[in-house]
Amino acid sequence: EVQLVESGGGLVQTGGSLRLSCATSGFTFVNYAIGWFRQAPGKEREAVSCIGNSDGTTYYADSVKGRFTISSDNARDMVYLQMNSLKPEDTAVYYCAAEVYFDVDDFPIQPYEYEHWGQGTQVTVSP
């Protein structure tokens, strides 16, 4: 059974940092891409950052480039999202998701491309 469990969310002030973790199990980690997505109240779920575990291909939304860093630990089947210089507009529930990935031409970056999802972790950035 595929499982993804997020942790590391919380309340932080503007300019602060958080590191989100995504613990995965139940699938061959290296054959998947892992994405971080977020959903704020009243808004659609959006991609934040994604990584291909086999080749390290990464994607960042323009809104987080230069502030967020995604990384994966293939030995521990973990993916991390380091979030620096946080802004109130980063407030959302953050989800990690997994999708099979073999070809860089088919690198998944949209929520609808991902099959397996975690339950989410709340990130709140106060002004």
Side-chain angles (χ1 to χ4, degrees), residues 7 13 15 19 23 30 33-34 37 40 45 50 57 68 73 81 85 97-98 100 104 110 119 122 125 127:
S7 61
Q13 292 184 332
R19 189 177 83 150
V30 71
I34 305 294
F37 301 84
R45 191 169 297 188
C50 308
T57 297
F68 291 11
D73 183 340
L81 185 68
S85 302
V100 173
V104 68
Q110 298 297 335
Q119 293 301 307
Q122 176 71 46
V125 184

Side-chain angles (χ1 to χ4, degrees), residues 37-113:
F37 301 84
R38 66 187 181 188
Q39 189 165 18
K43 295 189 176 180
E44 293 187 354
R45 191 169 297 188
E46 64 176 359
V48 176
S49 184
C50 308
I51 188 166
N53 293 330
S54 60
D55 60 7
T57 297
T58 57
Y59 163 82
Y60 292 95
D62 287 343
S63 59
V64 307
K65 282 181 182 176
R67 301 189 298 123
F68 291 11
T69 302
I70 193 170
S71 62
S72 64
D73 183 340
N74 287 12
R76 301 182 65 187
D77 294 354
M78 297 282 296
V79 175
Y80 306 97
L81 185 68
Q82 178 67 43
M83 306 188 296
N84 299 329
S85 302
L86 283 161
K87 306 174 182 180
E89 51 263 44
D90 295 317
T91 295
V93 177
Y94 283 70
Y95 301 87
C96 65
E99 178 57 32
V100 173
Y101 168 64
F102 289 109
D103 184 349
V104 68
D105 290 334
D106 293 321
F107 185 58
I109 63 171
Q110 298 297 335
Y112 70 83
E113 297 181 281

